[in-house]
Amino acid sequence: MITRLTAQIVKEILSYLRDPKSRMVLIGPPLVQLMVFSFAVTLEVDNVRVAVLDQDGGRWSHEFVQRLDAAGFVREILYVERPDDIVELIDRRKVLAALRFPADFSRDVAAQRPAAAQVILDGRRANSSQVALGYLNQIAGDIGIALARARGTEPPEIVVRHWFNPNLIYQWFVVPSLSGTLAMLIALLVTSLSIARERELGTFDQLLVSPARPIEIIIGKTVPALVIGTVLASVMISAGVFVFSIPFTGSVALLLGGVMLFILSVVGIGLTVSSVSRTQQQAILGTFSAAVPLVLLSGFVTPVENMPGWLQIIAQANPLTHYLIIVRSSFLKGGPPADILAAAWPMAVIALVTLSAAIVIVKRNLE
Amino acid sequence: MTVPAAVEIIGVTKTFGELTAIEEMNAVIERGRLTGLVGPDGAGKTTLMRMMAALMAPSRGRIRVAGCDVVAEAAGVHQAAGYMPQRFGLYEDLSVIENLRLYASLRDIGEDGLDRTFERLLHFTRLEPFKARLAGRLSGGMKQKLGLACALMARPEVLLLDEPSVGVDPVSRRELWGMVQELSGEGMAVVWSTSYLDEAERCDSVLLLNEGKLEYAGPPRRLTARLAGRSFAVRGIEIDRRGALAETLELPDVRDGVIQGASIRAVLREGASPDALAAAVRSRGGVVETVAPRFEDAFIDLLGGGPGGRSAIAEKMDRVAASDEVAVSCRNLTKRFGSFVATDDVSFDVERGEIFGLLGPNGAGKSTTFKMLCGLLKPTSGEALVAGHDLRHAPGDAKLKLGYMAQKFSLYGLLSVRQNLEFFSGVYGLARKLRARRIDEMIETFELERYLGASPDALPLGYKQRLALACALMHRPPVLFLDEPTSGVDPITRREFWTHINAMVRRGVTVLVTTHFMDEAEYCDRVALMYRARVIALDSPDGLKAGTATPDLPEPTMEEAFISLVEAADEEARAAA
Amino acid sequence: MNGTPTPRRSARRRLGALVRKETRQVVRDPAAILIAFVLPIVLLFLFAFAVSLDVQGVRLGVVLESDAAEAQSLAAAFGATRYFEAVPARDRREAAPRVVAGELGGFVVIPQDFERRLAARTGDPIVQVITDGSMPNTAKFVSSYAEGVVTSWLAGRGGLAEPPVSLAPRFWFNPEIESRRFLIPGAIAIVMAMIGTLLTALVVAREWERGTMEALISTPAGIFEILLGKLVPYFALGIIASLGCALVAIGLLDVPLRGSWLALLAMSSAFLVAALGQGMLISALARNQFVAAQVALLSGFLPALLLSGFLFEIDSMPAIIRGITYVVAARYYVASLQTVFLAGDAWSVFLPNMLAMLAIGAVFFGITALKTRKSLD
């Protein structure tokens, strides 16, 4: 049985790695994607253009614009003369936000009356404009504090500390998450095609008449995919540590365990899809139909907590949801074993269920 | 005005990189004739067809089809020629009539009289009852007929058919053939490429290609006539005709030899006397008599003769221990898919050391029966046993008794040849040392050395088949299942294949084979003819032939026997209805 | 028998036949139905419900170390806002591990001497806010809204005058700033990218695989007719799908359509030209369904999701990646869709976008025509 199993495992690994082209497909794209997406995927706001309509022209509107010009998130300030220009610029998406200082703005400030400037934001890009508004409010607040200090009053202070990621660097969040997402996509694709391809080419019958049992066939297909997925995830995690300099505070062993359990459950899903597919095309579409919800419901794009309750329950059946908790915890939060275990056991359940399903379906082929 | 020849091939060479597919070829194909394009695998038949269909440009030289140059006037060629590629481009999710309509519009057939054209074609191909059926659900033979109908749509001047009869059973083959003959009678030039030599023999003219060179052009009779006095039959062999064949093939004067039922057919070297042959078979009771040569004899002779009679692989095998057990048996085997009955109450026993053939038209239930025997399908009722085991429930060790060679030579294309051998030896659990030895043996016997690093997909069909056989034999199974093992393979490679099978059977191996080639049925000890899910005849090849002999046809060929048995079954069904 | 049809008439007939054939195949192919109708609906609903950038109800620990009335009142203020779900605690050691475990998005500490600090104005912080920085977006939200709660609480008890300088924000086009409203148009772009690129690439690759391409090429139909015959049905399918998605978005998902259907159609058509061109090119190069699907996923779906600016701001990306986005047709389509749905007809936005998409399409088709010469060489 050991001989039979080794033969199958070797066969699977070779069928992924023998051909330089398929080797490239397996390794190249995920790494390129890691590089591209870790820079592209950011909910930060940077490099924006802002329009300013200064109907005041006084000291305080100048002060505001100066601080705006110095702010890191602004690329360019467009000065306009008429309110209609603002409409035009926003409509054509030339600016994300427009500031209008009314004629009595500086006078109000000087007279210690509350002074308000108008901000118009592009609601089509609601997320970015909300973040931009936050930055603008910060500038307004800073001016307020400066004013208060100048008048000898100290406003009550609130201290904010961001644990684990003091400067809120977005890549510290994205890169660990991508390591899971991309490894999952490759593991899914590789396994979902494996049975379907053999079935289409007729080698599956060849395998079924051999002494190999269904459980051996599934193990034979699981081990190589597990190895490939784990290696890929590990490479990307290392890239996080060494290329992106993300602090790694948890336990390597626990994270590795988590990665393997995660890939195992993904392989289970892939093999289940594959065992019910008649053709490779069905398997590709099946993978696709599975992959999109898996990514969207994982808490990678947006937090699970934002979803309605019923979707949050569904998200618990998604291995990626649990893996993301483990990988983030291991990188930034010190990865306490209790937390890792709490996220690990649901993946073990998913793996058990899906792999058994795949075995049962392959067995049914013989019925 | 003189009408130009249908096809003129002038000094044509076609190269793909380093490889020369067609070399310096000159030929003319006449109108109103059926021209056969024959040759072994990789001889360049498909390349030539594609060039004539203006799908590929010659590297050097010119081809004119109906007066149009295939490069400069490709559009004219597409108007004048009908082309049916090897895997014909039918849309499986369109119905028969929809496929016809599509090709009618693509070929500019006017709306007027279109229905009449369809009617004529459907009648001609006998597809009328299946007008609304999706092409994907037609049988192999019906698909080919529909493909032919589509290619005939515009009444082309030149009809190019690339291996139209591969995978088609004898009944459909005969129908196809009749249709095409009728067309050439009307003045059309028909080019029919084939690896069936009995078909080539019936062509008006043949072009024989080998390794890209034109070896012969002209009527097949003329080539056959060269062999006069060199073809012999050995009849009356009492013991071990397979052994007799093996010995015969080893004689220096023998160019070729095959088994025909209880007899052997042999071709001798030019000028050789049959005395040596007679001496060799005398001990077994064989008597040599001269017979009329066939085209196949000439073909093999022209290509340098058939392979020898020794099988290195079988010589290394241990004899299968003699025992009385029945190797394969099925009892009242029935399989239904919904309301469709694929196999209906089939029973037979295959004894140890026997070659048992399953024959039948497409869709007769051969493959279903085969799969149930291998344990790949669950019978609806009845039982199927191999070496006394029901393979579906058998422990892994019981499966070691079975070697299986699937249709289309299912091999792992992503693995190299050596890796395929390693995989199959491993999956059958051979110990490391034994594995290495067996692999070396296989490489040596099947001459796989130079392909070891290549993917099986890149191998010539003949080598692919050898590799598939090597993989199936890795664990030396006492029972061997072969599903259409020689489909699409040329006659020389087929002979080689049967040399191995014959030698193994002599060592006690049991073989169950499905095939479309009637000459292969001749190698079997017994043949079960399946038709419409039932076994309609079960006998030795000679018995089947004798049973269908009539005063008009005293010595029917295997194919004629097959067709008359199928027709008789149809007759019976009609009478019962 | 068939007279002498003019070349143009017969070309039209051939095209008609090819289009009819392709349409029948689409209707009978479960895979096509799945990609064109089922997946889009699933995607739209996922984007409507699963992907939400509207952060609310974040679980926030409120560590109340003081028993004073003022402190109690501030704690209550945290409990009252809809942005937070306050989880009371007595000790920060109780809250900290729950942040590590991801159960809390952060916590605020109202210190023991809260009242003294509030009164003294010594510059000592009156409140400390701790966030879970491992989720930067949520962390930002927590800190800014927590500060907001404290500021308005202060204003409410008169402890602080109104801020001397404030901003009066107005979100045009989407005053309620519901993320669904700008995500759904983006989701439509993804659906269209899928139909245009993935489906087309698979279908044409299948013709090569099954050998039907060889039979088609040997007929008098030219390569352009064959390609066009494929494009027309998938173009129609794409348009139907885009209208279907728009109807679902407007009718069920509550997204307004402020622009005209005409503009929507025009933009979708221009995008389809680019997407179909991409699909055609992929299949012409791959001729194999597996490779075609993979390339379509990598070059069609993922860029449409990540580089089109619908989830992630293009301006915020590094210059190299910003450069890449200019050849992603989805970028122009997303911008146009968001405008046509939320803002209205703005042809000054649409026309340059359309031009860009058509230009990308033209390049794809040009390369496809070069690669698919009318022969098998």
Side-chain angles (χ1 to χ4, degrees):
Chain A
M1 175 172 155
I2 299 296
T3 324
R4 294 200 300 251
L5 211 49
T6 337
Q8 291 182 67
I9 292 171
V10 169
K11 172 206 77 178
E12 291 292 329
I13 291 184
L14 283 173
S15 61
Y16 300 136
L17 298 183
R18 195 182 80 88
D19 178 28
K21 229 190 284 172
S22 55
R23 218 162 31 215
M24 276 309 298
V25 168
L26 224 50
I27 314 276
L31 293 183
V32 172
Q33 284 170 40
L34 179 71
M35 290 302 157
V36 172
F37 297 149
S38 50
F39 288 104
V41 175
T42 168
L43 287 169
E44 274 175 78
V45 172
D46 225 339
N47 275 320
V48 300
R49 288 198 194 80
V50 179
V52 170
L53 172 59
D54 193 354
Q55 293 169 323
D56 172 43
R59 178 181 162 209
W60 292 104
S61 65
H62 273 292
E63 172 75 22
F64 198 109
V65 172
Q66 244 164 35
R67 282 173 185 255
L68 182 64
D69 208 10
F73 74 103
V74 175
R75 170 155 46 133
E76 195 183 350
I77 299 177
L78 304 169
Y79 299 94
V80 298
E81 300 294 327
R82 295 171 303 123
D84 282 353
D85 296 340
I86 293 184
V87 176
E88 172 74 8
L89 287 172
I90 296 257
D91 265 0
R92 300 185 58 176
R93 304 175 67 115
K94 291 285 182 210
V95 297
L96 180 66
L99 273 168
R100 190 171 75 86
F101 297 98
D104 45 6
F105 183 75
S106 293
R107 218 175 318 142
D108 282 344
V109 174
Q112 304 206 14
R113 281 194 298 267
Q118 211 180 22
V119 192
I120 292 149
L121 297 130
D122 186 348
R124 287 169 296 186
R125 294 187 272 172
N127 193 61
S128 311
S129 43
Q130 271 172 290
V131 177
L133 178 63
Y135 292 145
L136 292 171
N137 271 325
Q138 189 103 45
I139 295 175
D142 289 350
I143 292 178
I145 291 170
L147 271 172
R149 289 223 174 91
R151 289 169 192 147
T153 49
E154 195 70 21
E157 205 186 322
I158 302 165
V159 167
V160 175
R161 295 253 181 289
H162 299 300
W163 278 4
F164 320 125
N165 182 2
N167 299 316
L168 296 186
I169 299 170
Y170 213 75
Q171 278 169 356
W172 290 18
F173 164 76
V174 172
V175 174
S177 308
L178 276 176
S179 76
T181 311
L182 297 177
M184 177 182 83
L185 289 179
I186 288 293
L188 261 185
L189 199 64
V190 156
T191 47
S192 67
L193 280 173
S194 63
I195 297 179
R197 183 175 53 218
E198 291 215 30
R199 193 172 270 151
E200 212 173 283
L201 296 177
T203 46
F204 201 59
D205 279 355
Q206 202 72 276
L207 213 53
L208 290 177
V209 299
S210 79
R213 288 177 299 155
I215 189 166
E216 291 173 29
I217 296 176
I218 293 297
I219 294 175
K221 292 190 175 296
T222 301
V223 174
L226 183 63
V227 171
I228 288 171
T230 306
V231 167
L232 204 58
S234 309
V235 168
M236 290 192 279
I237 288 168
S238 318
V241 175
F242 298 110
V243 180
F244 294 92
S245 312
I246 306 170
F248 186 91
T249 58
S251 140
V252 175
L254 276 180
L255 177 59
L256 198 65
V259 167
M260 289 176 68
L261 213 47
F262 165 62
I263 299 291
L264 198 63
S265 55
V266 170
V267 166
I269 295 174
L271 286 177
T272 309
V273 168
S274 199
S275 60
V276 298
S277 305
R278 297 272 127 209
T279 62
Q280 290 193 66
Q281 193 195 15
Q282 282 177 8
I284 291 171
L285 290 174
T287 313
F288 193 78
S289 315
V292 173
L294 285 178
V295 173
L296 291 181
L297 288 175
S298 66
F300 171 35
V301 184
T302 58
V304 175
E305 294 77 45
N306 288 12
M307 298 170 195
W310 57 277
L311 269 180
Q312 291 193 26
I313 295 170
I314 294 178
Q316 296 309 308
N318 180 355
L320 187 56
T321 310
H322 304 288
Y323 173 72
L324 289 185
I325 293 173
I326 292 179
V327 72
R328 282 177 201 150
S329 181
S330 298
F331 261 99
L332 301 174
K333 294 176 168 179
D339 289 359
I340 305 278
L341 282 181
W345 71 261
M347 296 197 294
V349 173
I350 297 168
L352 202 66
V353 170
T354 50
L355 287 171
S356 327
I359 294 172
V360 168
I361 296 169
V362 169
K363 254 192 192 144
R364 274 233 314 262
N365 267 300
L366 293 171
E367 297 300 298
Chain B
M1 193 183 120
T2 54
V3 181
V7 181
E8 294 165 277
I9 299 165
I10 306 151
V12 167
T13 297
K14 176 72 187 173
T15 52
F16 298 100
E18 298 276 289
L19 198 91
T20 305
I22 296 283
E23 201 178 331
E24 278 300 312
M25 179 168 173
N26 289 290
V28 172
I29 292 170
E30 299 291 346
R31 286 168 199 269
R33 278 213 195 157
L34 183 50
T35 303
L37 187 57
V38 289
D41 293 325
K45 300 193 295 280
T46 296
T47 306
L48 184 63
M49 277 287 185
R50 286 181 169 170
M51 286 195 288
M52 290 193 282
L55 292 172
M56 269 182 192
S59 308
R60 272 199 311 282
R62 285 188 306 134
I63 299 181
R64 297 170 67 82
V65 174
C68 300
D69 186 274
V70 293
V71 178
E73 297 157 290
V77 175
H78 290 153
Q79 288 285 359
Y83 169 55
M84 183 167 145
Q86 225 171 64
R87 280 185 314 162
F88 186 71
L90 288 171
Y91 289 94
E92 309 225 318
D93 33 16
L94 296 187
S95 69
V96 169
I97 190 78
E98 283 164 355
N99 267 295
L100 284 174
R101 280 195 185 284
L102 171 68
Y103 282 95
S105 314
L106 291 177
R107 292 205 164 272
D108 280 328
I109 317 287
E111 289 290 341
D112 330 325
L114 196 59
D115 288 336
R116 235 181 24 248
T117 310
F118 289 159
E119 218 172 279
R120 181 176 59 83
L121 288 170
L122 287 172
H123 179 73
F124 185 51
T125 51
R126 294 206 232 156
L127 284 173
E128 287 142 319
F130 311 106
K131 230 157 87 171
R133 190 179 287 191
L134 293 187
R137 307 183 60 179
L138 296 176
S139 74
M142 290 200 268
K143 274 186 197 164
Q144 294 302 85
K145 287 192 279 184
L146 176 57
L148 183 63
C150 291
L152 285 174
M153 191 66 67
R155 292 188 164 267
E157 292 174 54
V158 180
L159 183 62
L160 305 168
L161 306 172
D162 196 1
E163 306 229 7
S165 51
V166 165
V168 176
D169 61 75
V171 178
S172 310
R173 209 149 69 98
R174 173 168 285 200
E175 280 175 12
L176 259 180
W177 184 261
M179 285 175 211
V180 170
Q181 250 174 347
E182 198 176 310
L183 290 167
S184 70
E186 292 167 16
M188 196 181 286
V190 181
V191 184
W192 171 297
S193 92
T194 182
S195 50
Y196 291 86
L197 297 170
D198 54 335
E199 281 174 1
E201 190 159 20
R202 280 178 285 174
C203 290
D204 298 320
S205 168
V206 294
L207 299 176
L208 202 159
L209 284 176
N210 189 30
E211 293 178 352
K213 292 197 194 81
L214 184 64
E215 299 278 353
Y216 173 80
R221 276 186 318 278
R222 216 168 66 209
L223 188 67
T224 312
R226 295 184 194 170
L227 269 276
R230 289 170 56 193
S231 297
F232 298 90
V234 182
R235 297 195 206 277
I237 303 171
E238 278 147 16
I239 355 158
D240 193 11
R241 62 190 194 285
R242 293 191 181 97
L245 175 67
E247 284 162 25
T248 302
L249 286 172
E250 289 301 306
L251 294 174
D253 281 344
V254 172
R255 293 282 272 176
D256 182 28
V258 292
I259 286 184
Q260 277 192 321
S263 316
I264 291 176
R265 186 186 177 89
V267 177
L268 297 188
R269 181 179 302 284
E270 200 165 2
S273 104
D275 297 345
L277 176 63
V281 295
R282 193 164 302 134
S283 62
R284 288 193 162 88
V287 180
V288 176
E289 49 184 89
T290 313
V291 290
R294 314 181 290 186
F295 183 72
E296 184 165 342
D297 299 340
F299 178 88
I300 302 285
D301 184 57
L302 191 69
L303 297 183
R310 292 184 52 207
S311 164
I313 193 73
E315 281 166 16
K316 293 200 180 85
M317 281 176 98
D318 302 327
R319 280 201 67 85
V320 175
S323 67
D324 297 331
E325 76 184 36
V326 171
V328 178
S329 87
C330 50
R331 291 271 151 274
N332 310 100
L333 200 58
T334 300
K335 179 72 189 175
R336 285 191 204 90
F337 297 103
S339 63
F340 175 70
V341 184
T343 300
D344 188 6
D345 197 24
V346 166
S347 304
F348 58 76
D349 288 320
V350 182
E351 276 154 37
R352 200 179 58 79
E354 186 178 31
I355 301 186
F356 189 88
L358 267 181
L359 262 70
N362 302 112
K366 299 190 301 286
S367 285
T368 311
T369 307
F370 216 71
K371 285 198 164 157
M372 284 189 285
L373 282 168
C374 298
L376 289 171
L377 264 182
K378 181 188 183 181
T380 312
S381 64
E383 60 173 2
L385 301 175
V386 173
H389 291 284
D390 178 346
L391 287 188
R392 280 189 316 117
H393 305 300
D397 293 345
K399 291 184 170 180
L400 282 173
K401 294 211 189 303
L402 176 74
Y404 176 75
M405 196 171 139
Q407 247 177 44
K408 297 179 293 184
F409 321 129
S410 306
L411 296 160
Y412 289 96
L414 292 169
L415 270 57
S416 72
V417 167
R418 176 183 275 283
Q419 287 160 351
N420 266 286
L421 291 169
E422 276 165 0
F423 170 67
F424 281 102
S425 61
V427 84
Y428 278 95
L430 303 191
R432 182 179 298 274
K433 267 194 190 144
L434 183 61
R435 227 185 310 169
R437 206 172 65 229
R438 291 270 167 90
I439 290 172
D440 288 342
E441 275 171 31
M442 293 298 175
I443 292 170
E444 198 193 318
T445 321
F446 292 104
E447 294 164 32
L448 296 169
E449 189 70 48
R450 64 180 172 133
Y451 291 115
L452 279 182
S455 151
D457 293 344
L459 298 189
L461 202 61
Y463 277 92
K464 222 168 149 174
Q465 180 214 35
R466 291 178 186 185
L467 176 60
L469 183 63
C471 291
L473 290 179
M474 200 56 87
H475 58 294
R476 302 274 162 85
V479 180
L480 196 53
F481 276 46
L482 310 167
D483 200 359
E484 310 225 343
T486 53
S487 187
V489 175
D490 66 66
I492 294 184
T493 316
R494 258 158 48 201
R495 278 167 169 68
E496 224 174 79
F497 178 80
W498 280 104
T499 300
H500 294 301
I501 300 297
N502 279 335
M504 279 186 283
V505 170
R506 290 177 66 209
R507 298 231 153 212
V509 172
T510 310
V511 175
L512 192 79
V513 60
T514 69
T515 182
H516 270 139
F517 287 98
M518 288 304 130
D519 52 348
E520 283 186 1
E522 306 264 16
Y523 283 100
C524 299
D525 293 294
R526 284 187 305 149
V527 170
L529 181 59
M530 284 195 78
Y531 184 59
R532 295 199 172 150
R534 293 174 153 271
V535 173
I536 58 169
L538 202 171
D539 205 341
S540 68
D542 288 345
L544 283 178
K545 283 187 278 188
T548 56
T550 58
D552 295 342
L553 200 64
E555 274 187 58
T557 61
M558 196 63 210
E559 177 160 335
E560 281 156 349
F562 178 102
I563 290 169
S564 79
L565 282 166
V566 164
E567 280 169 354
D570 275 337
E571 203 62 44
E572 210 171 291
R574 249 196 306 278
Chain C
M1 164 173 104
N2 41 9
T4 44
T6 62
R8 180 174 297 181
R9 236 197 76 215
S10 47
R12 239 195 343 259
R13 265 195 70 211
R14 288 198 296 260
L15 191 57
L18 285 168
V19 169
R20 265 198 307 281
K21 168 222 123 194
E22 205 68 41
T23 312
R24 286 201 179 104
Q25 283 189 298
V26 172
V27 176
R28 286 175 198 169
D29 183 4
I33 301 293
L34 182 74
I35 299 186
F37 298 105
V38 181
L39 271 183
I41 300 296
V42 172
L43 266 180
L44 276 188
F45 277 88
L46 275 178
F47 274 103
F49 296 106
V51 179
S52 166
L53 294 168
D54 311 331
V55 185
Q56 52 179 313
V58 176
R59 290 164 65 87
L60 180 73
V62 178
V63 179
L64 189 55
E65 293 175 343
S66 160
D67 286 328
E70 295 266 44
Q72 303 265 13
S73 152
L74 178 58
F78 276 103
T81 167
R82 73 182 171 97
Y83 298 111
F84 295 121
E85 187 189 328
V87 179
R90 290 303 295 183
D91 193 325
R92 61 179 77 199
R93 271 167 306 185
E94 197 181 310
R98 302 187 67 184
V99 174
V100 175
E103 290 165 17
L104 297 177
F107 60 93
V108 292
V109 182
I110 303 173
Q112 212 171 6
D113 52 352
F114 175 71
E115 284 190 303
R116 189 189 59 76
R117 291 185 188 206
L118 193 61
R121 295 274 166 104
T122 54
D124 283 339
I126 53 166
V127 169
Q128 202 181 10
V129 179
I130 309 291
T131 72
D132 179 354
S134 71
M135 311 267 279
N137 217 40
T138 314
K140 261 184 206 163
F141 170 88
V142 168
S143 62
S144 67
Y145 280 87
E147 282 180 287
V149 168
V150 177
T151 316
S152 53
W153 177 79
L154 284 172
R157 66 181 279 281
L160 185 75
E162 272 197 45
V165 177
S166 68
L167 298 174
R170 276 177 55 203
F171 289 92
W172 280 6
F173 316 127
N174 184 10
E176 306 85 356
I177 43 174
E178 264 186 74
S179 65
R180 183 189 286 183
R181 294 203 163 173
F182 67 90
L183 287 177
I184 295 291
I188 294 180
I190 290 192
V191 167
M192 302 293 284
M194 243 163 47
I195 294 178
T197 311
L198 183 62
L199 189 56
T200 323
L202 279 180
V203 162
V204 182
R206 194 174 53 192
E207 290 240 358
W208 281 110
E209 257 181 29
R210 291 198 183 161
T212 45
M213 205 51 139
E214 194 176 336
L216 275 187
I217 291 179
S218 75
T219 69
I223 192 74
F224 282 102
E225 283 167 41
I226 294 170
L227 290 186
L228 205 60
K230 291 224 160 288
L231 283 184
V232 173
Y234 289 97
F235 186 83
L237 192 67
I239 292 291
I240 293 171
S242 76
L243 293 181
C245 287
L247 281 176
V248 170
I250 296 163
L252 296 177
L253 302 176
D254 214 21
V255 178
L257 177 67
R258 300 215 170 91
S260 63
W261 285 93
L262 174 73
L264 180 66
L265 271 182
M267 302 318 300
S268 301
S269 307
F271 176 70
L272 274 174
V273 170
L276 290 172
Q278 192 179 349
M280 286 281 172
L281 180 58
I282 291 171
S283 58
L285 296 178
R287 294 188 183 183
N288 157 321
Q289 291 194 65
F290 172 57
V291 179
Q294 246 182 345
V295 177
L297 270 183
L298 290 180
S299 71
F301 177 75
L302 284 177
L305 179 67
L306 299 172
L307 300 179
S308 66
F310 112 91
L311 272 176
F312 309 109
E313 192 60 45
I314 292 174
D315 282 338
S316 311
M317 299 173 188
I320 297 178
I321 297 172
R322 266 208 314 272
I324 297 176
T325 65
Y326 284 101
V327 296
V328 175
R331 163 197 178 128
Y332 307 100
Y333 189 46
V334 166
S336 311
L337 276 181
Q338 288 179 344
T339 303
V340 80
F341 273 102
L342 299 177
D345 284 0
W347 291 96
S348 57
V349 178
F350 297 159
L351 288 178
N353 282 341
M354 272 180 84
L355 268 180
M357 289 189 274
L358 291 175
I360 292 172
V363 171
F364 281 138
F365 278 112
I367 306 176
T368 309
L370 277 180
K371 288 281 168 195
T372 323
R373 266 162 308 154
K374 197 178 163 164
S375 75
L376 296 171
D377 281 296

